[in-house]
Amino acid sequence: TKTPFRLYNFKKPFYSKDARDSAAMALDYFAKEFRITSPKNGEPANEIKTSLCGNHVFYQQAYNNSYISNAWIRVDVDHEERVFNIANSFLPEDLITSCFDRKLVSKISEKQAETLLIEKFGELFNLEIKVTSCELVYYYRPGKGYLSWKFIIYSNKPRREWKVYLDANNGHCISIV
């Protein structure tokens, strides 16, 4: 069964006194279609941004107390607190349980991963780099899930920023964005 990526033009209006409640109400209604757990039963919104169109309520998907990288739902709510659009990149619950091992524990520490990253990445591209952030996340590639260290790194010459994902079990590079 395919999971919808975008929903709009709703037959049922979703609105409440504030954007968070309107978003939670819409996601509760569509949870089965998205094959996810309703936010009313779990996670609160991670972030709300305001624009000319209204508010944008963001939820990042988590599993086993770690976020899943690039797994977001954005619920767009107009100035009258009505939901008008939902963009979904969450992984369906059944896919998560089949791809990610709940018992996964990082075999390399954050410091070891950072040292490995600076040596390999700096050497590979002949750059002096600086790590600006690091967190333990799940990373999904079709058919396989990884517990990984997500680094955001920065170089001065040339001025550039990358996201680098290292496998938390063996230190191999999974992705560079």
Side-chain angles (χ1 to χ4, degrees):
T1 311
K2 288 203 171 207
T3 306
F5 173 70
R6 181 163 302 232
L7 294 174
Y8 54 92
N9 289 341
F10 308 113
K11 289 184 172 92
K12 178 179 177 169
F14 302 102
Y15 57 91
S16 184
K17 290 182 176 126
D18 88 337
R20 279 182 207 268
D21 291 342
S22 296
M25 189 184 308
L27 289 181
D28 187 45
Y29 183 81
F30 289 113
K32 195 172 196 174
E33 195 171 340
F34 285 142
R35 297 173 24 217
I36 62 170
T37 305
S38 167
K40 281 188 173 179
N41 301 334
E43 294 241 354
N46 293 75
E47 188 176 356
I48 295 181
K49 291 186 177 182
T50 302
S51 74
L52 292 174
C53 297
N55 291 308
H56 309 284
V57 183
F58 293 89
Y59 295 86
Q60 185 172 13
Q61 194 170 24
Y63 176 72
N64 202 21
N65 297 323
S66 289
Y67 286 117
I68 299 173
S69 195
N70 301 321
W72 289 87
I73 286 184
R74 184 192 77 230
V75 180
D76 299 325
V77 182
D78 67 16
H79 293 289
E80 295 171 5
E81 307 305 340
R82 287 185 306 228
V83 174
F84 66 89
N85 183 54
I86 301 173
N88 172 37
S89 64
F90 265 28
L91 299 175
E93 295 287 329
D94 53 336
L95 183 65
I96 291 172
T97 53
S98 67
C99 286
F100 297 122
D101 183 358
R102 190 172 273 285
K103 297 177 193 119
L104 270 177
V105 177
S106 178
K107 291 182 181 167
I108 58 175
S109 71
E110 179 181 339
K111 202 68 184 158
Q112 289 171 317
E114 185 176 331
T115 303
L116 188 67
L117 172 78
I118 290 171
E119 286 172 5
K120 298 285 183 195
F121 201 87
E123 188 179 293
L124 181 66
F125 294 105
N126 196 23
L127 296 171
E128 193 172 307
I129 59 172
K130 178 183 167 197
V131 174
T132 56
S133 80
C134 174
E135 66 179 319
L136 192 61
V137 299
Y138 285 98
Y139 185 84
Y140 176 76
R141 276 191 168 159
K144 182 144 177 135
Y146 300 88
L147 183 62
S148 64
W149 288 106
K150 173 186 167 187
F151 291 95
I152 296 178
I153 60 173
Y154 175 82
S155 74
N156 249 345
K157 293 180 183 176
R159 189 167 287 221
R160 185 114 189 252
E161 190 175 83
W162 295 272
K163 282 185 198 168
V164 180
Y165 297 88
L166 296 183
D167 190 313
N169 292 309
N170 57 27
H172 291 138
C173 184
I174 300 168
S175 177
I176 300 174
V177 182

